[in-house]
Amino acid sequence: MNQAPNRSSVSLRGVEIAYGPVRVLDRLDLEVAQSEFLVLLGPSGCGKSTLLNAIAGLTEVDSGEIWIGGRNVTWEEPKDRGIAMVFQSYALYPRMSVRKNMSFGLEVSGMKRPDVQRRVTEAAAILQITELLDRKPSELSGGQRQRVAIGRALVRDAGVFLFDEPLSNLDAQLRAELRTEIKRLHARLGATMIFVTHDQIEALTLADRIAVMRDRRIQQLGTPHDVYMRPANKFVATFVGSPAMSFLSGHITEGRVFETSTLRLDLSGYAFTAPPSVGMPVDLGIRPEHVVLAPGEAAAIPARVELVEPMGSDLLAWTRIGEAALTVRLSAETPVAPGDILPLMFSTRRLNLFDAQGERL
Amino acid sequence: MVAAAKRLRIGSRLPAQIALAPALLIALVLYCGTTSWTVWISLTSSRMLPNSVFVGLRQYDVLANNDRWLASIANIATFGALFMTAALTIGFLLAAMIDQKVRAESLLRSVFLYPFSMSFIVTGLAWRWMLDPTLGFEKLLHDIGFADAHFDWIVRPDRVIYTLVIASVWHAAGLVMAIMLAGLRGVDREIWNAARVDGLPTWRIFVFIIIPMMRGSFATACVLLATSVVKLYDLSVAMTNGGPGIASEVPAKFVMDYLFERGNLALATAAATTMLITVVVVVAPWYHWQGRKARMAGIA
Amino acid sequence: MSTPRASRHPSGRRPKRLSPSRVGLYAFLLITALFFLTPLYVMLVTSLKPMAEIRLGNIMSLPAAPTLDAWTTAWSRACTGLSCNGISAGFWNSIRILVPSVIVSIMVGATTGYAMSFWRPRGAKLLFAALMVVAFIPYQVFIYPLVRIFSQVGIANSLAGIVLVHTVFGLPTMTLLFRNHFASLPLELFKAARVDGAGFWRIFLQIMMPMAVPIAVVAVILQVTGIWNDFILGLVFAGRDNLPMTVQLNNVVNTTQGERTYNVDMAATLLTALVPLCVYFVSGRWFVRGIAAGAVKG
């Protein structure tokens, strides 16, 4: 668009929300920088949509403050907050044409007709929906509807874009397509974007930073790489990544050695956040792709293959070390069959250790 | 998610409050206000004009010894029992049969439902003419050879209530059919298929599977019919005007007559209050059940 | 033919087109249908016969020489009490009552239902419960105090009075109808409109009402038939000059002096039934939807 770049930071300070006795958000602090793409990731019911609604001004907060673009907007109407929003069900006005859907908000705000039309035309061009402008929403496919919904947000020329699971009603192919579209849009507009999803792939591909939420709290806030490689706790470790991280239960012995009934592992290369005490029970988390085959290596750990899943580009071997389950990602050509014993080695730097409370060590 | 549009800010809720004001005013003044007033009058000794001489439940005592009121109660009880049984049975049978993929389904539905679109006055006058003992069906029976046949129920005190039943079943059976048909169509086709695969005969599927699944439709139909029984007024006025004698008097008519013709406000309002209590007793369990169902659906 | 043999010869018996149970089914439906049609038929043939033929023949026989005399008499010359102007006056009274009552009651009901569903203002739940109860209560409970209040306010026996009464007693059904409709719409639509900056009335008029057109049609059908067919409210609240058609019809039939003119009675009855019958046959499935919506309260 032609307007001067319009970017706002978003800041939540001690935001609390409850529906009667049911708490939905615990004192929550969150800083979103100008032009940042932040993804709120979590299972349904974790409070992520409520958080987004609070930023939009669609849900009242019980305490705390919301700042957008350096202004305290806690008690302002949604329209005055400088935000635009895209919804899961598209929420297009069914009796209005695409053009009218996109111009409605601008007309409400009292903008002059030529300006409205210019903005609608521009936004439609960006999203390649120009030829749809005179259709009704019922005449559009799901992907087209969501493009229109994004277009409706685009014309508002807002400093902050809020996305409430915008892709989850689409099929897999359209989802990927619109995902890249949104990423491209972010690069082009430079606007701040906050995106709610329960899909970790969306989170990893889109985000500058991810806030993983569960039980009314942010569990971890960090770059996709951080969240994936150094999950803050067992929940984040399990929720992000597919197939999920495997866990071996054991304890720490003298000399920083991880020990279970069937294996011993030297942890000297592991970056502990705090020095572990001897004898403390820990869970060792291993991602499938952080396991390597080490034939002929004396220190290799033998794992019995139970099931093999070819994935095209690679294959997954579901194995057991003693009783503990371990998923291993191998190259597609690896000759492996159920019943085989694989000699495995782990890269110590890429391991994840969690204490009995599930917190990262 | 939990009910999401929770509280909106006061500034934006004000128009909603204003928009609701007429309805609130109506509810407070014209529903609650008038109901309490009616109940209050029934506790006074008011005759032509309302007074505030409190006499407790004396009017209800008078009412309990009033022949006309007792006849009204007896009439409405007979009428209600027969009417509800007949309307439910016929309505359900019609719905079940129409649901068997019959020809001219929509024509049949129209035929069964059209009486419901007409007023009780029209219904009453039409049946009163057909049941006319000199020129109506009785004459038809005589003309086609049954010289001794009698069909003079409308002028016989011991039979007149049945004529009201016939007319109102004619009026309401289509409504029951529509409700039941909606209920039947709401039953998953797979249930039928599963029962067929199990080899159950049609009537068993109906009795043991379908009817229990249609509890809601039956409850709705029952409540609607029951309240229409309590409200019964126009039909009695148009068809028999309560006669012969007081043989087809009904409570609603009793109230109207004592309010506007006989000038006994307290007795009339005592009767109205009795009707109110009856309705509450009928509706409350159903309302509770509906509410519970809604809450369960909300949780699920 | 490439069709596989098996599919051309299903293993089960093809159901017989007319099994005995099918015959019984159709017989029952046919007889019941005739029973349901009889009153309409009798009214019609009676209204087309002269009185002499009615006295001599039977009620089922077709008119020997159909005549519309009874219809014109009923419309413009039938007597109620002392005046003999037919029931045309009642027809026009009913129209004058009907039009404003339908409009006002639907407007109030739609607004109330909308306010309740999205905005949930204070008192909405209690109000809704009250409306649900009132829908079932006989008018006799409210009537006397209403008459007193109306005469205090100065709208007793007036058009304004009867319109208000129809609005008041139409409110439960209308509110329920619209509330249920709005409650079935996705909440995100409402949120989108809020983000777009639309306020209470703009969301109502520009977004919600255009989507409520089918429900509005159902509401019109319900209210037109309901108000047209009303007797008791018109009798008590409309006043002598505004008596609706149903009340006039009852007067015509009950106050005929001397010989009873059944043909005129039946013509007048049919005339009164004409409007709801037309609504019913024109609206077809919508009427059923209306009943279903009005019937399934709560």
Side-chain angles (χ1 to χ4, degrees):
Chain A
M1 323 275 309
N2 291 339
Q3 284 74 22
N6 187 354
R7 312 156 181 188
S8 312
S9 60
V10 176
S11 159
L12 304 169
R13 301 174 189 171
V15 169
E16 281 189 319
I17 296 177
Y19 294 127
V22 185
R23 303 179 65 80
V24 201
L25 279 184
D26 285 344
R27 286 188 59 80
L28 189 136
D29 296 293
L30 181 64
E31 295 288 336
V32 186
Q34 279 181 21
S35 300
E36 182 173 1
F37 200 122
L38 180 89
V39 172
L40 297 172
L41 174 69
S44 65
C46 69
K48 58 190 193 299
S49 283
T50 307
L51 180 57
L52 200 73
N53 277 312
I55 297 172
L58 295 167
T59 298
E60 193 175 285
V61 299
D62 290 284
S63 67
E65 291 177 354
I66 297 171
W67 292 65
I68 296 178
R71 281 189 309 128
N72 183 346
V73 297
T74 315
W75 299 103
E76 280 188 9
E77 287 286 304
K79 67 175 160 68
D80 301 324
R81 296 187 174 206
I83 52 118
M85 195 159 175
V86 179
F87 298 91
Q88 175 175 4
S89 66
Y90 324 130
L92 298 177
Y93 311 128
R95 299 288 157 152
M96 295 183 187
S97 67
V98 167
R99 189 188 302 279
K100 180 76 182 169
N101 260 285
M102 289 169 69
S103 58
F104 182 70
L106 300 180
E107 284 166 11
V108 171
S109 73
M111 185 184 278
K112 290 204 176 60
R113 274 193 77 80
D115 293 338
V116 172
Q117 287 311 323
R118 185 173 45 76
R119 283 223 207 164
V120 169
T121 317
E122 280 176 18
I126 292 175
L127 290 162
Q128 296 159 2
I129 51 173
T130 309
E131 69 280 14
L132 306 179
L133 278 177
D134 293 311
R135 297 214 198 147
K136 287 277 170 65
S138 57
E139 299 163 347
L140 304 180
S141 70
Q144 290 172 326
R145 284 181 206 186
Q146 198 51 293
R147 272 172 194 273
V148 174
I150 294 172
R152 183 172 63 185
L154 211 54
V155 295
R156 290 182 64 79
D157 195 29
V160 182
F161 283 78
L162 307 174
F163 293 89
D164 194 355
E165 308 222 16
L167 306 179
S168 43
N169 279 9
L170 301 171
D171 64 43
Q173 201 179 345
L174 269 172
R175 195 183 294 192
E177 191 185 308
L178 268 161
R179 203 172 64 207
T180 20
E181 186 89 39
I182 290 172
K183 186 145 193 168
R184 200 173 294 137
L185 212 57
H186 179 243
R188 173 170 186 160
L189 300 174
T192 312
M193 294 191 173
I194 303 179
F195 189 104
V196 164
T197 184
H198 62 262
D199 182 327
Q200 41 117 5
I201 302 287
E202 275 170 26
L204 293 170
T205 49
L206 286 171
D208 293 330
R209 279 194 304 162
I210 298 175
V212 186
M213 293 186 68
R214 184 175 75 150
D215 294 345
R216 320 183 294 277
R217 284 195 193 84
I218 291 178
Q219 305 286 319
Q220 184 172 7
L221 177 62
T223 63
H225 185 264
D226 262 0
V227 168
Y228 189 77
M229 298 304 285
R230 296 178 50 80
N233 55 38
K234 260 183 92 173
F235 168 74
V236 176
T238 329
F239 193 75
V240 179
S242 172
M245 186 183 277
S246 310
F247 293 98
L248 305 177
S249 296
H251 57 273
I252 302 282
T253 60
E254 208 67 50
R256 297 197 167 176
V257 170
F258 172 77
E259 189 180 71
T260 75
S261 53
T262 48
L263 65 84
R264 284 174 59 84
L265 206 62
D266 181 13
L267 296 173
S268 48
Y270 184 82
F272 282 98
T273 48
S277 52
V278 170
M280 76 186 290
V282 291
D283 285 325
L284 178 72
I286 309 161
R287 292 220 180 266
E289 62 273 25
H290 296 159
V291 180
V292 286
L293 275 182
E297 186 75 43
I301 296 155
R304 183 168 33 84
V305 176
E306 289 195 325
L307 192 70
V308 178
E309 279 186 340
M311 308 284 287
S313 56
D314 43 25
L315 67 78
L316 291 176
W318 301 80
T319 71
R320 280 192 188 277
I321 300 174
E323 286 306 303
L326 176 76
T327 315
V328 182
R329 193 190 295 272
L330 300 168
S331 81
E333 293 78 27
T334 317
V336 57
D340 290 358
I341 304 291
L342 297 179
L344 302 178
M345 300 256 316
F346 313 124
S347 154
T348 320
R349 282 184 305 110
R350 291 175 163 177
L351 293 178
N352 299 278
L353 278 175
F354 301 99
D355 65 19
Q357 283 72 48
E359 295 300 319
R360 184 180 190 85
L361 274 175
Chain B
M1 300 282 126
V2 198
K6 64 179 277 204
R7 301 140 301 160
L8 296 146
R9 270 158 288 287
I10 295 300
S12 61
R13 203 167 48 174
L14 193 62
Q17 209 79 59
I18 293 169
L20 212 59
L24 273 172
L25 200 70
I26 288 174
L28 275 175
V29 178
L30 300 185
Y31 296 158
C32 299
T34 54
T35 306
S36 343
W37 195 348
T38 295
V39 174
W40 164 244
I41 296 176
S42 78
L43 302 174
T44 66
S45 65
S46 308
R47 301 289 294 189
M48 288 284 283
L49 290 171
N51 65 32
S52 16
V53 182
F54 182 76
V55 295
L57 294 175
R58 204 169 72 200
Q59 300 296 350
Y60 294 85
D61 201 36
V62 174
L63 198 62
N65 294 305
N66 181 308
D67 287 341
R68 195 165 149 175
W69 173 251
L70 294 176
S72 302
I73 297 281
N75 288 340
I76 208 68
T78 314
F79 171 86
L82 292 174
F83 163 66
M84 288 190 57
T85 313
L88 282 172
T89 312
I90 295 174
F92 179 77
L93 281 177
L94 288 176
M97 291 191 175
I98 281 185
D99 199 35
Q100 302 300 309
K101 300 194 180 73
V102 295
R103 280 159 190 277
E105 178 194 315
S106 71
L107 179 71
L108 284 170
R109 269 197 329 224
S110 303
V111 168
F112 296 136
L113 192 53
Y114 88 91
F116 189 71
S117 73
M118 299 198 283
S119 63
F120 278 118
I121 297 292
V122 168
T123 304
L125 293 178
W127 281 94
R128 170 168 143 187
W129 161 234
M130 288 192 294
L131 299 174
D132 187 286
T134 47
L135 293 173
F137 280 136
E138 184 166 291
K139 182 156 183 292
L140 177 71
L141 290 174
H142 293 172
D143 286 359
I144 57 175
F146 301 97
D148 299 329
H150 285 290
F151 197 51
D152 53 355
W153 289 6
I154 199 161
V155 292
R156 284 177 57 180
D158 57 332
R159 296 282 164 85
V160 65
I161 203 73
Y162 305 136
T163 63
L164 289 186
V165 172
I166 295 171
S168 51
V169 167
W170 175 76
H171 184 256
L175 168 72
V176 178
M177 175 206 69
I179 294 172
M180 296 294 174
L181 204 51
L184 280 172
R185 298 273 150 98
V187 172
D188 195 341
R189 230 46 225 177
E190 307 250 305
I191 300 268
W192 277 101
N193 294 341
R196 289 256 159 73
V197 171
D198 285 345
L200 293 178
T202 308
W203 70 268
R204 290 189 73 119
I205 302 178
F206 264 114
V207 172
F208 292 109
I209 298 169
I210 304 302
I211 293 180
M213 286 182 75
M214 288 173 60
R215 281 193 310 269
S217 303
F218 274 97
T220 303
C222 277
V223 169
L224 281 178
L225 296 178
T227 49
S228 82
V229 168
V230 181
K231 288 179 175 178
L232 185 75
Y233 171 72
D234 316 16
L235 189 69
S236 165
V237 168
M239 209 164 150
T240 59
N241 206 17
I246 54 169
S248 60
E249 284 290 345
V250 290
K253 191 164 170 299
F254 179 94
V255 175
M256 295 299 282
D257 290 351
Y258 276 79
L259 276 182
F260 296 108
E261 279 163 29
R262 300 189 161 216
N264 192 339
L265 290 182
L267 196 62
T269 50
T273 307
T274 311
M275 290 171 72
L276 171 67
I277 293 167
T278 314
V279 170
V280 170
V281 168
V282 171
V283 173
W286 177 77
Y287 191 71
H288 178 76
W289 181 65
Q290 289 270 323
R292 205 184 53 181
K293 209 172 61 177
R295 277 195 298 279
M296 305 251 279
I299 291 163
Chain C
M1 291 283 138
S2 62
T3 327
R5 233 184 122 74
S7 76
R8 276 195 294 159
H9 296 282
S11 55
R13 258 180 318 120
R14 169 191 275 269
K16 267 188 228 149
R17 283 195 80 79
L18 278 178
S19 62
S21 66
R22 266 328 247 186
V23 172
L25 184 107
Y26 277 109
F28 179 89
L29 285 174
L30 199 68
I31 291 168
T32 319
L34 288 178
F35 168 77
F36 273 77
L37 284 170
T38 303
L40 194 60
Y41 169 81
V42 168
M43 280 193 277
L44 199 62
V45 293
T46 306
S47 73
L48 297 173
K49 293 176 192 169
M51 268 315 288
E53 189 181 344
I54 292 175
R55 268 191 300 272
L56 292 172
N58 68 58
I59 57 166
M60 297 296 284
S61 64
L62 283 165
T67 164
L68 286 174
D69 286 354
W71 287 71
T72 52
T73 307
W75 179 252
S76 53
R77 289 194 305 279
C79 300
T80 56
L82 294 175
S83 63
C84 290
N85 299 318
I87 56 163
S88 54
F91 176 84
W92 295 115
N93 284 341
S94 276
I95 295 279
R96 286 193 303 145
I97 294 171
L98 184 73
V99 173
S101 299
V102 169
I103 293 172
V104 174
S105 65
I106 290 180
M107 277 182 4
V108 175
T111 314
T112 310
Y114 161 71
M116 279 181 169
S117 52
F118 289 113
W119 298 83
R120 303 177 192 191
R122 228 172 264 280
K125 271 192 177 163
L126 204 66
L127 176 62
F128 191 68
L131 291 178
M132 286 308 87
V133 175
V134 167
F136 295 108
I137 295 178
Y139 296 142
Q140 282 77 12
V141 175
F142 312 107
I143 271 184
Y144 182 72
L146 274 181
V147 169
R148 298 279 300 191
I149 292 172
F150 278 23
S151 59
Q152 282 295 312
V153 183
I155 51 172
N157 299 328
S158 72
L159 202 57
I162 182 71
V163 170
L164 177 59
V165 163
H166 280 307
T167 305
V168 166
F169 290 119
L171 188 62
T173 315
M174 291 300 105
T175 303
L176 180 80
L177 204 58
F178 281 96
R179 189 205 76 124
N180 285 356
H181 172 71
F182 291 129
S184 72
L185 295 179
L187 193 60
E188 290 195 339
L189 210 57
F190 174 71
K191 289 183 179 178
R194 295 262 299 142
V195 171
D196 270 343
F200 181 88
W201 293 107
R202 192 191 287 271
I203 295 177
F204 180 49
L205 296 174
Q206 282 189 264
I207 294 169
M208 296 305 166
M209 275 322 274
M211 296 177 68
V213 169
I215 288 300
V217 172
V218 169
V220 168
I221 292 169
L222 272 179
Q223 287 298 81
V224 167
T225 48
I227 293 171
W228 190 273
N229 287 340
D230 158 68
F231 175 75
I232 186 168
L233 297 178
L235 183 69
V236 175
F237 293 97
R240 191 171 284 278
D241 298 333
N242 304 306
L243 288 181
M245 203 171 185
T246 46
V247 177
Q248 289 225 340
L249 169 69
N250 196 48
N251 290 347
V252 163
V253 175
N254 282 315
T255 61
T256 311
Q257 308 287 324
E259 188 203 42
R260 306 206 56 155
T261 49
Y262 295 107
N263 51 354
V264 175
D265 289 355
M266 285 305 109
T269 308
L270 278 174
L271 280 168
T272 310
L274 221 49
V275 166
L277 275 179
C278 284
V279 169
Y280 173 66
F281 283 112
V282 169
S283 61
R285 275 180 175 274
W286 289 89
F287 185 85
V288 181
R289 263 186 78 177
I291 297 184
V296 189
K297 296 172 196 276

